[in-house]
Amino acid sequence: MAAAIAELQRAFLTPAQIAASRTIMGLDRQLIADGTYFVVEADGEIAGCGGWSRRATLYGGDHSPGRDSALLDPATDPARVRAMYTHPAFARRGVGRLILELCEDAARAEGFSRLELMATMSGRPLYARAGYVEIEHILDDRGGEPVPLVRMGKAIGQSG
């Protein structure tokens, strides 16, 4: 995660924004406890990780302020794609796309018909290629320096 934040954001953010990103990004252990987090390995190394959530928090790690663990209603609420990171050595090799597909399939199996996520500037092209559309642009300044993010969503249909 640290390598992904530091390296993959360089083309999109200033050094101060990258430093601020560490406040608003990171692992949310609730995803692990809920069994909704995936780790992809390649050549014996962690290539990437990410998951989905049936809880209200849209983004942020354990340490991020403003978290909400309330359960979402699959009939009315979109599930969340959360904590997506690809190690820079494995970037642009299908790791993120694989994790997105796993998230979509799992959320669909639990009755969700829509997903939302908060995209970083470096992640936005992946999500757009996977069919996610932009909903809202924000600047998160909880880390001291405003970091641009884009809330995106996608209809995934229902299983059955």
Side-chain angles (χ1 to χ4, degrees), residues 2 10 20 29 31 34 44 48 61 64 71-72 74 89 91 110 114 128 131 154:
R10 266 195 231 183
R29 286 184 175 81
L31 302 173
D34 287 346
S64 300
L71 290 171
L72 299 168
E110 286 203 20
R114 186 162 174 73
K154 178 180 179 179

Side-chain angles (χ1 to χ4, degrees), residues 77-81 97 100-101 103-105 107-108 112-117 126-135 151-157:
D77 299 318
R80 315 298 198 209
V81 173
R97 182 62 183 214
L100 275 178
E101 290 171 2
C103 291
E104 291 171 6
D105 290 345
R108 188 181 301 110
F112 287 93
S113 61
R114 186 162 174 73
L115 282 168
E116 285 189 4
L117 56 83
L126 164 69
Y127 303 129
R129 283 191 306 275
Y132 288 78
V133 297
E134 295 183 7
I135 298 169
R151 185 166 62 105
M152 302 178 79
K154 178 180 179 179
I156 58 170

